[in-house]
Amino acid sequence: MGEDFTDYYVVTSFTRESNVIEVANFIAIANHLMDIEPESDSGWKIARFGHWACGYLYCIFVHKDSPLVALCETIARSLREYPVFDEDILAECESMIEQSLSDVDTERRMQMLIEAPASLICEPLLKPYL
């Protein structure tokens, strides 16, 4: 009934309704892990799940026996102290949101920010991982 993730830890995730920080962190952490090693069953991987309430859920998993576990624990600790993993990626996501709303009046812009999840607007940055 699907892949078994019993031997994996969740590093981070986002849903269709996630805010820009959650999406930016997902992108930044995936970039960081990809710089170290490509996705694999024995290292780290990204999985997508459909969900009735939030539409979908993307997760970055790390295998419990991977040397990357220590790095991922460090990432988790750092996010507890400061919620942004990479300021540059966050700024890029925020810029994409601003650009997509630049021609919209203020009232409609506020409504769109509520209705348009960050994951849709930041899709070009997410594309390599989806």
Side-chain angles (χ1 to χ4, degrees), residues 11-40:
V11 179
T12 191
S13 63
F14 78 92
T15 71
R16 178 185 64 203
E17 306 303 322
S18 288
N19 64 45
V20 67
I21 292 173
E22 293 165 334
V23 173
N25 282 345
F26 185 94
I27 295 165
I29 292 168
N31 287 348
H32 189 65
L33 294 172
M34 187 66 80
D35 286 345
I36 296 168
E37 69 178 52
E39 285 184 76
S40 70

Side-chain angles (χ1 to χ4, degrees), residues 43-67:
W44 70 280
K45 62 168 58 178
I46 295 173
R48 181 189 192 278
F49 307 94
H51 192 279
W52 67 271
C54 61
Y56 58 80
L57 171 71
Y58 280 91
C59 295
I60 296 177
F61 291 96
V62 63
H63 193 275
K64 68 179 186 177
D65 297 327
S66 171

